[in-house]
């Protein structure tokens, strides 16, 4: 019979008891949140295809369809090709605007969401993100011209910013330490599925000569919003959020649900006490007095100290910047045009299908790799592989595969190494960048740290979206780098390699509170060997005293203090 009661939370000094065992149902709860990745992937995936749709182009340019303008001429004739290149095409600035405005929205959305998640809760902010996204989606679907479409993209972007930042935060906070990396890698997997689904839906509707051509791919997104919002409404909020708010009763209940244990079990008590003790400890180092003060504390401390807030914030921001500077989105945003320039592949959809499929199919290997090899290790090796693969593409392009050499084998080899590069990203930097930002922040600044890091991802995503056409496109003001662009991305991956080696600590297998301790006691290079040796509860003397947490319990026994 349910009833009210008080559970005395007593901490443990045993480092093996700081996390409760988890039931299968609890694993499923945690895994559900990964679904948020679908939004991220789908929303970045559909715009490119829609911009190339005949109906959409006609709507935006007012020009006649090529087959009506040139009846009887094949689509490969010079006239039709010239018409498509110069006239029947959405203007470059409109393409840039509609594509990049999403990132502007997501950038601000992620920062604001990081702020709101501490006031309203992680779950509420994700659900709000779904609501905002739906409003944006309605405008996008209804649009018949640039203004409404841009407004819709901006608002939808806000929603995606909310979702992309806070899902990572929520998942990292509720996932058990042993599978936290794998679960967040599941989010990355959902991103890749989202990109693939967008490609497929756009392919299915691209030939239509009505508004369904672009409205269907846009409207499909409402489904993601409904599934995520309804699912999350049924799930508990993060127990760590409740601890931060001082609502310990709710924290105990939420923890009991995400671990699938009775609220009054010793396991739940021990884990909760450890979270509380860690929070008290963090608050004693950097007290948060005011709203502004709480933002300032993200930049508190010396950059040279691996555990300072400033260092952790910069680590998160640079981590996401370096993820984008691996050049992966060059391939996803611009791969089609690049491969066409190579001259041997005529079906652009086939190209994007191959690259997105390689991305989807290789990501699951990361579930195992992040937990077995560790985040730091895969980031270092992943960067090294990407350096090698991208340099090889650049070298082939500069020698056997020169544009005038007409060497299909060279083109095939370049495509093969580009696919290997995608697989290297998908198993390392793709998931690990997200995993690390969910793990490195102390509870006091976690939501803002994750928000700022996510905003950095979108900022650089936007920069790459905007500059890429000017690097390789066959246009008057382009740098016309061609395949040399891979030397640039390979060079940037060298920096990613150094960044991972010198700055990224190993966080696998630790609770978020143990990560805190590890950062205090090690440097990134020595972090791999660190083993938990004491608990915050013991250090804050919670192992000897009781914290009384009023809860509704299900057993009479547990109501006793
Ligand atoms: C990145 C995206 C990228 C995607 C590809 C994500 O981790 O943040 O920018 O498009 O991976 O799978």
């Amino acid at each position: 019979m349910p009833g009210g009661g008080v559970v005395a939370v007593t901490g443990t000094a045993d480092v093996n008891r700081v996390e409760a065992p988890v039931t299968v149902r609890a694993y499923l709860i945690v895994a559900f949140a990964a679904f948020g990745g679908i939004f991220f992937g789908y929303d970045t995936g559909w715009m490119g295809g829609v911009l190339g749709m005949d109906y959409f182009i006609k709507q935006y340019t007012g020009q006649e369809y090529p087959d009506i303008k040139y009846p009887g001429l094949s689509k490969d004739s010079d006239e039709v090709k010239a018409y498509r290149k110069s006239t029947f095409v959405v203007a470059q600035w409109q393409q840039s605007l509609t594509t990049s405005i999403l990132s502007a929205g997501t950038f601000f959305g992620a920062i604001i969401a990081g702020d709101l998640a501490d006031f309203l809760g992680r779950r509420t902010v994700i659900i709000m993100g779904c609501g905002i996204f739906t409003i944006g989606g309605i405008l996008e679907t209804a649009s018949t011209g640039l203004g409404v479409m841009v407004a819709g993209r901006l608002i939808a972007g806000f929603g995606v910013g909310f979702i992309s930042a806070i899902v990572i935060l929520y998942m990292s906070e509720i996932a058990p330490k042993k599978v936290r990396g794998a679960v967040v890698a599941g989010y990355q997997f959902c991103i890749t599925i989202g990109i693939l689904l967008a490609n497929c839906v756009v392919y299915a509707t691209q030939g239509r000569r009505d508004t369904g051509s672009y409205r269907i791919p846009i409207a499909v997104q409402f489904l993601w919003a409904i599934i995520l919002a309804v699912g999350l409404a049924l799930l508990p909020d993060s127990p760590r959020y409740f601890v931060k708010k001082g609502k310990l009763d709710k924290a105990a209940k939420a923890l009991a649900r995400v671990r699938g244990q009775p609220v009054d079990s010793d396991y739940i008590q021990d884990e909760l006490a450890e979270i509380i003790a860690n929070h008290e400890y963090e608050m004693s180092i950097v007290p948060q007095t005011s709203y502004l003060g709480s933002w300032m504390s993200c930049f508190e401390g010396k950059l040279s100290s691996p555990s300072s807030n400033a260092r952790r914030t910069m680590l998160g921001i640079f981590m996401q910047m370096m993820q984008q500077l691996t050049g992966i989105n060059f391939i996803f945003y611009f791969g089609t045009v690049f491969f066409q320039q190579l001259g041997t592949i005529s079906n652009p959809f086939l190209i994007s299908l191959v690259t997105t499929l390689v991305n989807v199919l290789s990501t699951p290997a990361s579930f195992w790799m992040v937990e077995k090899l560790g985040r730091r290790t895969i980031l270092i090796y992943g960067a090294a592989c990407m350096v090698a693969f991208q340099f090889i593409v650049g070298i082939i392009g500069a020698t056997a595969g020169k544009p005038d050499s007409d060497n299909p084998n060279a083109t095939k080899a370049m495509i093969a190494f580009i696919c290997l590069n995608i697989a290297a990203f998908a198993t390392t930097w793709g998931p690990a960048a997200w995993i690390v930002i969910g793990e490195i922040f102390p509870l006091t600044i976690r939501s803002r740290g994750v928000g700022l890091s996510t905003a950095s991802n979108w900022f650089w995503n936007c920069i790459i979206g905007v500059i890429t056409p000017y690097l390789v496109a066959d246009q008057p003001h382009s740098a016309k780098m061609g395949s040399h662009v891979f030397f640039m991305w390979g060079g940037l991956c060298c920096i990613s390699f150094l960044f991972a080696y010198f700055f990224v600590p190993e966080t696998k297998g630790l609770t978020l509170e143990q990560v805190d301790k590890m950062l205090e006691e090690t440097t990134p290079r020595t972090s791999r060997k660190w083993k938990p040796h004491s608990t915050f509860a013991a250090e804050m003397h919670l192992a000897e005293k009781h914290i009384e947490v009023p809860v509704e319990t299900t057993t009479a026994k547990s109501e006793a203090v």
Side-chain angles (χ1 to χ4, degrees):
M1 279 260 305
V6 173
V7 170
V9 174
T10 314
T12 176
D14 179 353
V15 291
N16 297 314
R17 284 192 56 108
V18 289
E19 188 177 275
V22 184
T23 60
V24 173
R25 188 173 153 270
Y27 276 122
L28 294 178
I29 289 185
V30 175
F32 173 78
F35 184 80
I38 297 260
F39 269 92
F40 185 137
Y42 192 93
D43 216 45
T44 45
W46 64 260
M47 192 77 225
V50 165
L51 284 169
M53 284 177 177
D54 282 2
Y55 184 84
F56 194 81
I57 298 174
K58 184 173 190 293
Q59 204 177 48
Y60 272 59
T61 59
Q63 300 292 328
E64 200 41 89
Y65 290 117
D67 55 330
I68 296 182
K69 175 109 178 158
Y70 296 103
L73 284 187
S74 102
K75 66 180 174 33
D76 293 324
S77 66
D78 289 346
E79 286 89 340
V80 173
K81 276 190 183 162
Y83 178 59
R84 279 195 176 275
K85 197 168 172 190
S86 60
T87 317
F88 195 70
V89 61
V90 176
Q92 188 76 51
W93 69 269
Q94 292 183 339
Q95 293 201 24
S96 246
L97 180 64
T98 46
T99 309
S100 53
I101 197 76
L102 177 90
S103 319
T106 45
F107 174 83
F108 291 109
I111 297 181
I112 295 170
D115 209 11
L116 288 178
D118 271 351
F119 295 105
L120 306 175
R122 284 59 167 136
R123 198 182 59 138
T124 314
V125 173
I126 300 174
I127 296 174
M128 276 171 70
C130 294
I132 298 173
F133 173 82
T134 306
I135 297 171
I138 290 173
L139 289 177
E140 288 170 351
T141 316
S143 78
T144 50
L146 191 67
V148 181
M149 174 59 92
V150 168
R153 290 281 283 171
L154 184 69
I155 296 172
F158 247 80
V160 177
F162 271 45
I163 295 161
S164 59
I166 308 306
V167 163
I168 289 292
L169 176 65
Y170 179 70
M171 292 180 85
S172 309
E173 287 193 338
I174 63 172
K177 61 180 180 181
K178 266 199 212 124
V179 294
R180 192 178 54 235
V183 164
V184 179
Y187 170 81
Q188 170 71 15
F189 186 47
C190 286
I191 296 180
T192 64
I193 294 178
I195 300 176
L196 179 67
L197 282 175
N199 273 287
C200 294
V201 178
V202 163
Y203 183 64
T205 65
Q206 66 183 355
R208 293 174 70 120
R209 292 207 160 165
D210 58 21
T211 56
S213 55
Y214 67 95
R215 286 187 168 151
I216 294 172
I218 300 174
V220 165
Q221 303 176 98
F222 296 128
L223 194 63
W224 318 141
I226 294 167
I227 297 176
L228 188 66
V230 171
L232 273 184
L234 303 173
L235 298 185
D237 208 325
S238 157
R240 287 175 166 94
Y241 157 70
F242 288 126
V243 167
K244 187 162 197 268
K245 293 296 268 184
K247 296 181 181 166
L248 301 186
D249 54 337
K250 292 196 170 156
K253 272 198 258 174
L255 190 61
R257 279 189 68 196
V258 294
R259 296 288 179 258
Q261 302 285 345
V263 73
D264 51 346
S265 86
D266 288 349
Y267 288 123
I268 297 298
Q269 288 189 39
D270 288 347
E271 183 169 355
L272 186 57
E274 187 63 5
I275 299 171
I276 297 169
N278 170 262
H279 186 53
E280 284 183 6
Y281 171 75
E282 284 296 340
M283 288 294 283
S284 69
I285 307 178
V286 186
Q288 297 183 359
T289 41
S290 59
Y291 174 73
L292 203 63
S294 62
W295 265 111
M296 295 305 289
S297 62
C298 294
F299 301 94
E300 205 85 35
K302 283 199 194 124
L303 275 177
S304 56
S305 149
S307 65
S308 74
N309 284 359
R311 170 76 168 259
R312 299 190 208 198
T313 305
M314 294 325 281
L315 175 61
I317 290 175
F318 277 94
M319 183 86 217
Q320 292 290 343
M321 177 181 101
M322 292 318 305
Q323 192 217 42
Q324 289 299 306
L325 293 184
T326 57
I328 192 69
N329 285 324
F330 167 78
I331 300 168
F332 290 126
Y333 296 166
F334 210 70
T336 312
V337 180
F338 178 76
F339 286 124
Q340 274 172 333
Q341 281 177 4
L342 291 178
T344 35
I345 293 184
S346 57
N347 184 347
F349 177 74
L350 188 68
I351 303 163
S352 49
L353 188 67
V354 168
T355 51
T356 45
L357 260 181
V358 170
N359 196 24
V360 174
L361 296 178
S362 40
T363 302
S366 70
F367 301 169
W368 175 84
M369 287 166 65
V370 284
E371 300 303 357
K372 195 76 191 159
L373 308 174
R375 294 59 161 149
R376 176 181 158 80
T377 313
I378 63 170
L379 285 168
I380 293 174
Y381 284 102
C385 289
M386 286 192 280
V387 172
F389 296 147
Q390 308 215 60
F391 277 170
I392 293 175
V393 176
I395 291 168
I396 301 176
T399 53
K402 275 193 187 141
D404 51 0
S405 64
D406 194 22
N407 183 344
N409 286 338
T411 309
K412 279 184 199 149
M414 284 166 82
I415 293 173
F417 279 100
I418 289 173
C419 289
L420 282 174
N421 182 64
I422 296 173
F425 174 89
T427 46
T428 62
W429 278 78
W434 295 107
I435 297 170
V436 169
I437 66 161
E439 301 180 326
I440 52 170
F441 295 103
L443 182 53
T444 42
I445 61 161
R446 188 171 299 137
S447 67
R448 285 180 182 140
V450 174
L452 287 169
S453 309
T454 307
S456 161
N457 176 290
W458 288 109
F459 175 80
W460 289 101
N461 189 318
C462 175
I463 297 285
I464 289 180
V466 173
I467 64 162
T468 295
Y470 297 99
L471 294 178
V472 280
D474 189 12
Q475 289 165 354
H477 301 297
S478 143
K480 298 200 175 65
M481 288 178 81
S483 57
H484 288 90
V485 75
F486 283 95
F487 287 122
M488 185 183 96
W489 299 126
L492 287 164
C493 284
C494 291
I495 304 179
S496 305
F497 173 86
L498 295 174
F499 172 77
Y501 182 77
F502 286 108
F503 296 109
V504 181
E506 185 49 78
T507 46
K508 92 172 153 103
L510 305 175
T511 65
L512 296 182
E513 290 68 33
Q514 288 168 344
V515 169
D516 224 21
K517 191 106 222 118
M518 176 271 289
L519 289 176
E520 279 183 1
E521 298 179 355
T522 64
T523 64
R525 276 181 289 166
T526 56
S527 57
R528 239 179 99 83
K529 299 206 177 81
W530 187 86
K531 294 266 172 308
H533 50 82
S534 72
T535 66
F536 278 98
E539 280 179 29
M540 300 297 284
H541 306 295
L542 274 187
E544 297 121 41
K545 72 178 186 213
H546 288 341
I547 307 170
E548 299 206 331
V549 178
V551 284
E552 263 190 13
T553 54
T554 45
T555 59
K557 182 177 146 274
S558 64
E559 286 170 24
V561 179

